[in-house]
C-alpha cells in the first residue's frame, strides 16, 4: 500500500488514472476503478478535475441493451501539442503532434553549415514559426524535445557531436533565453527506443534499439526507463572497436563499429567513388535492384560487421526485443534473415529481432512522445499511430 502525504498520493493517483485512460483508449469510470484499484469516490473526484482542466473528454456510447448508456473517458488529444525535433548534420526535422502522439504537421530545414552559432538562430526561428502556426488549444505546445546525434549528459548539456564537431554546447540554456516553453535535450537513439516502446512494443521490458543512420547509437529501455550510465553517455556503441587499428574515427579511435556498419559509411563511400554529392536511397535501391556488384559487396560487408556488433550487444544486455532503425536494411533483400543467420552463438539470447516500421520518423515521434509524457507526468505512454509516420 502506498503511503505519504495527501498531495503526493493524489499526484500518484492522477498519474495512474491518466496512464490507464491512455492505455485503454476509452474506459468507463467503473472499469477505471478496477484497473487502478482506486475507490469510485477517488475516481470521481480525479475525473472531475481532469474534465475541468480539459485533459480528458466524455463520450456516451450507443448500445442496444436496456439501461443507461455507458459514458467513456478518453484523453483529449486536441488539448495541446508537442514538438519533436531531430537536429542532425545537414538537416533539422520537425514533427508537431497532438497529445495522443498523432502527427499534425511536419517540416524540414536543410543545413549548409555545422557552425553552432549559425544553426542556433535557424532553430529558434523555426520553433517560433511553429508557435505561431500551431492550432489554438487549451495548453498550446506543452513541450519541445530535441534529438542530438551524440553525447548528452544527464543535465541535458551536449558533450560531443562527432558529425557536427560540437563540444560542450549548452543548447537548452540558449533556447530557453528565447523560448518560454519546457525544452528537453535527449540522445537520438534513446528517443528511437522510446518511440518503439510507446508506439510498437507496449509490453516489452528490455528493449534495445540500434540506429544506423548518421552513425550508430543504441537506445535502451529497461522497465520503462532509459539506461543512461553514470554521466548519461551510455549507448555510444558506434564507437565500440571491432577492427583494431582500422579506419580512423572522429572520436579519436580507429576501427569503430560505425565506420563499418552505419548507413553513413555506405553513403560516404559511394559519394566519394561515384562523385555524387547528394546521394539518395532511391539511387542506392536502383543499384541494388540492378545487381551492381560494388553496392552489393558493400551491403554484404555492412551486414557482416553489423552482425558482429549486434552479437556483442546481445551478449552484454540480453534484450527481449532488438529493433534496427535503418532504411538501407529495409531496401536490401533478405537483410534481416542474413543478420539472424550470423547470430549463431549459443550464448546469444533474444526474443525478437526486427527492422523498425517507423523509419526515420522514429526519432521525432519519440521526441513528441517524451514531451507528452513529461507534460502529463506519467511513467509511460501506450500510443498507436493512426497513419504511417
Amino acid at each position: 500500500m502506498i503511503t505519504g502525504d495527501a498531495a503526493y498520493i493524489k499526484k500518484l493517483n492522477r498519474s495512474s488514472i491518466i496512464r490507464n485512460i491512455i492505455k485503454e483508449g476509452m474506459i468507463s469510470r467503473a472499469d477505471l476503478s478496477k484497473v487502478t484499484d482506486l475507490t469510485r469516490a477517488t475516481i470521481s473526484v480525479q475525473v472531475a478535475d481532469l474534465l475541468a482542466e480539459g485533459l480528458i473528454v466524455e463520450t456516451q456510447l450507443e448500445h442496444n441493451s436496456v439501461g443507461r448508456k455507458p459514458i467513456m473517458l478518453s484523453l483529449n488529444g486536441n488539448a495541446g501539442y508537442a514538438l519533436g525535433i531531430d537536429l542532425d548534420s545537414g538537416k533539422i526535422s520537425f514533427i508537431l503532434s497532438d497529445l495522443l502522439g498523432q502527427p499534425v504537421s511536419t517540416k524540414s530545414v536543410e543545413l549548409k553549415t555545422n557552425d553552432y552559432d549559425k544553426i542556433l538562430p535557424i532553430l529558434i526561428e523555426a520553433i517560433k514559426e511553429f508557435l505561431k502556426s500551431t492550432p489554438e488549444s487549451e495548453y498550446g505546445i506543452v513541450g519541445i524535445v530535441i534529438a542530438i546525434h551524440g553525447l548528452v549528459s544527464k543535465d541535458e548539456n551536449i558533450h560531443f557531436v562527432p558529425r557536427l564537431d560540437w563540444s560542450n554546447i549548452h543548447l537548452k540554456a540558449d533556447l530557453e533565453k528565447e523560448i518560454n516553453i519546457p525544452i528537453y535535450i535527449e540522445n537520438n537513439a534513446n528517443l528511437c527506443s522510446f518511440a518503439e516502446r510507446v508506439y510498437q512494443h507496449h509490453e516489452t521490458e528490455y528493449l534495445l534499439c540500434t540506429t544506423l543512420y548518421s552513425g550508430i547509437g543504441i537506445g535502451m529501455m529497461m522497465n520503462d526507463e532509459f539506461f543512461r550510465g553514470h554521466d548519461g553517455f551510455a549507448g555510444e556503441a558506434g564507437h565500440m572497436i571491432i577492427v583494431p587499428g582500422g579506419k580512423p574515427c572522429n572520436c579519436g579511435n580507429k576501427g569503430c563499429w560505425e565506420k563499418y556498419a552505419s548507413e553513413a559509411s555506405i553513403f560516404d563511400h559511394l559519394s566519394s567513388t561515384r562523385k555524387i554529392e547528394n546521394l539518395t536511397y532511391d539511387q542506392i535501391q536502383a543499384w541494388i535492384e540492378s545487381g551492381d556488384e560494388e553496392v552489393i559487396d558493400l551491403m554484404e560487408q555492412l551486414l557482416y560487421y553489423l552482425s558482429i556488433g549486434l552479437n556483442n550487444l546481445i551478449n552484454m544486455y540480453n534484450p527481449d526485443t532488438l529493433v534496427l532503425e535503418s532504411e538501407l536494411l529495409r531496401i536490401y533483400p533478405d537483410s534481416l534473415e542474413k543478420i539472424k543467420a550470423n547470430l549463431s552463438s549459443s550464448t546469444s539470447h533474444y526474443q525478437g529481432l526486427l527492422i523498425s516500421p517507423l523509419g526515420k520518423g522514429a526519432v521525432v515521434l519519440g521526441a513528441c512522445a517524451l514531451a507528452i509524457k513529461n507534460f502529463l507526468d506519467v511513467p509511460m505512454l501506450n500510443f498507436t499511430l493512426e497513419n504511417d509516420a
Side-chain angles (χ1 to χ4, degrees):
M1 180 178 178
I2 298 174
T3 60
D5 63 53
Y8 177 67
I9 293 174
K10 183 176 181 180
K11 180 181 177 181
L12 289 179
N13 291 342
R14 175 189 174 96
S15 176
S16 176
I17 288 168
I18 293 174
R19 182 181 182 182
N20 279 283
I21 289 174
I22 295 171
K23 183 177 180 180
E24 298 299 326
M26 298 181 72
I27 188 170
S28 68
R29 287 170 173 79
D31 287 338
L32 195 54
S33 177
K34 293 176 184 177
V35 298
T36 60
D37 200 28
L38 296 173
T39 67
R40 294 200 177 193
T42 298
I43 293 294
S44 179
V45 171
Q46 291 271 8
V47 165
D49 288 344
L50 292 171
L51 286 168
E53 294 169 24
L55 283 176
I56 64 173
V57 292
E58 292 180 317
T59 303
Q60 194 167 48
L61 295 184
E62 296 291 337
H63 71 147
N64 296 323
S65 59
V66 177
R68 184 177 179 183
K69 298 176 181 178
I71 297 176
M72 309 298 284
L73 306 170
S74 57
L75 187 70
N76 181 8
N78 295 323
Y81 299 88
L83 183 59
I85 303 173
D86 181 14
L87 176 52
D88 199 2
S89 176
K91 186 170 71 171
I92 311 177
S93 302
F94 303 80
I95 282 186
L96 184 75
S97 82
D98 63 20
L99 289 189
L100 289 171
Q102 303 303 316
V104 174
S105 63
T106 63
K107 179 180 180 178
S108 64
V109 176
E110 298 298 321
L111 296 176
K112 297 182 179 179
T113 178
N114 289 343
D115 188 333
Y116 175 74
D117 291 332
K118 294 180 180 179
I119 291 176
L120 178 61
I122 294 173
L123 181 58
I124 291 172
E125 181 182 358
I127 292 173
K128 288 183 175 179
E129 285 298 320
F130 270 99
L131 293 176
K132 292 177 183 176
S133 61
T134 297
E136 290 188 13
S137 63
E138 183 76 20
Y139 295 96
I141 294 180
V142 300
I144 300 170
V145 175
I146 303 173
I148 300 298
H149 295 243
L151 299 177
V152 178
S153 65
K154 287 183 178 178
D155 58 4
E156 299 180 76
N157 287 323
I158 300 170
H159 181 68
F160 181 54
V161 183
R163 290 180 70 83
L164 292 174
D165 196 25
W166 288 358
S167 297
N168 299 318
I169 298 294
H170 302 283
L171 176 61
K172 179 184 175 77
D174 290 340
L175 288 175
E176 287 176 338
K177 296 173 185 176
E178 299 283 340
I179 309 294
N180 189 27
I181 287 174
I183 294 172
Y184 308 91
I185 311 296
E186 185 57 82
N187 172 266
N188 70 301
N190 280 347
L191 290 174
C192 285
S193 70
F194 191 68
E196 294 295 334
R197 170 62 183 83
V198 169
Y199 288 98
Q200 297 288 322
H201 305 283
H202 296 162
E203 305 303 323
T204 297
E205 293 184 352
Y206 297 94
L207 183 147
L208 193 152
C209 179
T210 304
T211 64
L212 307 181
Y213 298 117
S214 58
I216 296 182
I218 64 169
M220 293 173 283
M221 295 295 302
M222 296 184 175
N223 294 319
D224 293 344
E225 298 287 344
F226 290 126
F227 178 79
R228 298 184 183 277
H230 181 264
D231 295 309
F233 300 156
E236 289 300 315
H239 300 288
M240 169 174 56
I241 295 173
I242 62 169
V243 181
K247 298 176 183 178
C249 180
N250 291 341
C251 76
N253 285 327
K254 293 182 179 180
C256 290
W257 189 26
E258 68 179 39
K259 301 303 292 184
Y260 297 86
S262 68
E263 292 195 353
S265 67
I266 300 290
F267 275 83
D268 290 347
H269 179 89
L270 291 175
S271 294
S272 175
T273 59
R274 305 197 177 190
K275 311 299 181 185
I276 301 174
E277 288 189 7
N278 298 310
L279 189 61
T280 67
Y281 288 105
D282 288 340
Q283 287 171 297
I284 294 179
Q285 183 170 12
W287 290 330
I288 291 172
E289 292 174 352
S290 69
D292 188 300
E293 290 187 9
E294 180 188 19
V295 177
I296 298 298
D297 286 344
L298 286 171
M299 286 300 302
E300 291 295 327
Q301 289 178 36
L302 182 143
L303 296 181
Y304 170 73
Y305 286 113
L306 179 59
S307 300
I308 292 174
L310 291 178
N311 181 75
N312 294 340
L313 295 179
I314 291 168
N315 283 322
M316 282 190 287
Y317 297 112
N318 185 215
D320 54 11
T321 303
L322 180 58
V323 183
L324 306 177
E325 295 278 358
S326 169
E327 184 63 27
L328 285 183
L329 294 184
R330 271 186 286 274
I331 65 179
Y332 191 64
D334 303 320
S335 59
L336 194 60
E337 287 70 24
K338 291 178 179 180
I339 293 169
K340 289 179 179 179
N342 287 333
L343 301 176
S344 56
S345 170
S346 60
T347 62
S348 295
H349 296 285
Y350 59 93
Q351 292 183 10
L353 173 65
L354 65 152
I355 299 171
S356 171
L358 296 179
K360 281 198 168 185
V363 62
V364 275
L365 285 171
C368 289
L370 184 59
I372 296 167
K373 173 184 177 296
N374 292 340
F375 170 68
L376 296 176
D377 195 18
V378 293
M380 183 47 66
L381 301 167
N382 286 3
F383 288 152
T384 300
L385 280 176
E386 296 176 358
N387 301 297
D388 293 335

